[in-house]
């Protein structure tokens, strides 16, 4: 099922949508990214200005997220298909900031149905909400998701399968059974399989070179010297700082003695 919608350039269709669905409504760009030109409209007087400010606008019934928002990956090739779903939370850039795999048959069946209806060959990203009225489509992206690393870690390796397709090979697709993980985007991507979040070594760009054993003692001495010199500098600067503070106080017209 789809949320009711209307072409934003057709005033009659928009008026009919308002009559049938009421508010709130969503005005968004037909083709966009990162939530650009996305507005939730709650009053009739805000609708026309939002449509006018949106390139190639679509007006859609608002979909509540009573059961959460999900990003589902679907891959089809050679008559086979497979899907994986993450319940997610978006960051400011519109990409998934945190997510966890879910084994939700309703979400997975809906995503597979979208893939079959579109004649999908390769990878697609299906974004849905589980609303009070059931699963509803937000959008379909014929591209790799920002969750591609987390999907690959869980076993859904759609980037590799896409390379196989490009080389004329038909990839062997698993039917399911993907690893259950939680994912969080920080300085780099973190995953949790039940024992707490930790970086995946293969993904970590910020690896520090291991210190050579013979230099470990020198590193400790150097660190101690740095701390001692910092303390000494603070002691030596204290009188200077006191004089500066007094000068500022006098400059403000304050008395030195009370």
């Amino acid at each position: 099922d789809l949320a009711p919608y209307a072409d934003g350039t057709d005033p009659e269709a928009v008026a009919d949508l308002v009559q049938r669905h009421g508010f709130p409504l969503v005005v968004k760009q037909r083709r966009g990214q990162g939530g650009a030109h996305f507005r939730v409209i709650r009053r009739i007087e805000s609708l026309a200005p939002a449509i006018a400010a949106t390139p190639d606008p679509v007006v859609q019934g608002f979909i509540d997220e009573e059961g959460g928002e999900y990003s589902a990956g679907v891959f089809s090739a050679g008559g086979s298909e497979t899907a994986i779903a993450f319940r997610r939370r978006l960051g400011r850039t519109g990409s998934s900031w945190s997510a966890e795999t879910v084994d939700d048959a309703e979400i997975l069946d809906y995503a597979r149905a979208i893939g079959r209806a579109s004649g999908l060959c390769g990878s697609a990203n299906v974004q849905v909400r589980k609303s009070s009225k059931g699963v509803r489509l937000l959008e379909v992206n014929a591209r790799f998701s920002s969750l591609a690393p987390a999907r690959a870690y869980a076993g859904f390796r759609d980037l590799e399968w896409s390379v196989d397709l490009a080389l004329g090979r038909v990839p062997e697709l698993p039917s399911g059974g993907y690893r259950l993980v939680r994912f969080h985007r920080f300085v780099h991507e973190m995953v949790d399989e039940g024992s707490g979040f930790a970086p995946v070594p293969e993904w970590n760009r910020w690896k520090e070179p291991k210190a050579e054993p013979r230099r470990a003692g020198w590193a400790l001495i150097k660190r101690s010297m740095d701390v001692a010199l910092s303390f000494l500098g603070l002691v030596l600067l204290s009188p200077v700082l006191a004089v500066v503070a007094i000068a500022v106080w006098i400059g403000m017209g304050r008395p030195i003695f009370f």
Side-chain angles (χ1 to χ4, degrees):
D1 294 330
L2 300 176
Y5 65 94
D7 184 345
T9 63
D10 185 340
E12 292 185 5
V14 172
D16 181 64
L17 176 64
V18 172
Q19 181 68 27
R20 289 185 293 109
H21 186 274
F23 291 89
L25 295 170
V26 168
V27 176
K28 62 182 182 180
Q29 199 169 357
R30 187 179 297 275
R31 295 176 179 85
Q33 62 180 11
H37 299 288
F38 180 94
R39 297 176 176 86
V40 177
I41 309 301
R42 303 185 185 279
R43 299 187 304 273
I44 186 65
E45 57 268 24
S46 302
L47 182 57
I51 292 174
T54 305
D56 195 15
V58 173
V59 184
Q60 176 183 298
F62 180 79
I63 305 171
D64 69 78
E65 52 180 324
E66 182 177 288
E69 184 166 319
Y70 299 81
S71 176
V74 185
F75 194 95
S76 299
S80 299
E81 63 182 12
T82 187
I84 188 173
F86 281 82
R87 183 168 181 168
R88 67 173 188 171
R89 181 174 64 84
L90 293 178
R92 293 184 178 180
T93 61
S95 60
S96 298
W97 191 250
S98 63
E100 60 181 317
T101 47
V102 293
D103 188 16
D104 188 313
E106 190 176 6
I107 298 292
L108 293 170
D109 289 345
Y110 189 97
R112 291 190 189 99
I114 293 291
R116 288 192 292 270
S118 62
L120 178 66
C121 180
S123 183
N125 180 37
V126 180
Q127 297 175 7
V128 301
R129 279 184 176 175
K130 205 168 188 180
S131 73
S132 55
K133 298 180 180 179
V135 180
R136 295 292 185 271
L137 179 67
L138 293 178
E139 59 188 42
V140 179
N141 298 311
R143 59 168 172 77
F144 300 117
S145 167
S146 63
L147 282 171
R151 290 178 179 179
Y153 188 81
F156 186 91
R157 312 182 76 86
D158 55 337
L159 275 76
E160 293 182 15
W161 301 333
S162 296
V163 171
D164 284 338
L165 277 181
L167 295 175
R169 301 192 294 256
V170 178
E172 295 184 9
L173 304 181
S175 58
Y178 294 112
R179 183 184 299 176
L180 298 179
V181 298
R182 292 195 300 158
F183 167 85
H184 189 73
R185 184 166 278 117
F186 190 53
V187 175
H188 45 68
E189 286 84 355
M190 312 279 281
V191 296
D192 174 20
E193 295 186 69
S195 57
F197 282 104
V200 178
E202 292 81 359
W203 298 353
N204 190 358
R205 300 179 180 178
W206 312 104
K207 294 180 181 177
E208 296 183 1
K210 294 182 179 179
E212 298 180 16
R214 65 176 181 273
R215 295 186 180 179
W218 170 246
L220 180 59
I221 293 172
K222 184 176 182 298
R223 190 174 304 167
S224 301
M225 291 175 63
D226 289 341
V227 173
L229 289 172
S230 298
F231 179 74
L232 179 61
L234 181 62
V235 171
L236 293 176
L237 285 174
S238 294
V240 177
L241 295 175
V243 171
V244 172
I246 292 173
V248 171
W249 184 264
I250 294 174
M252 295 173 61
R254 306 288 186 177
I256 299 178
F257 301 103
F258 300 93

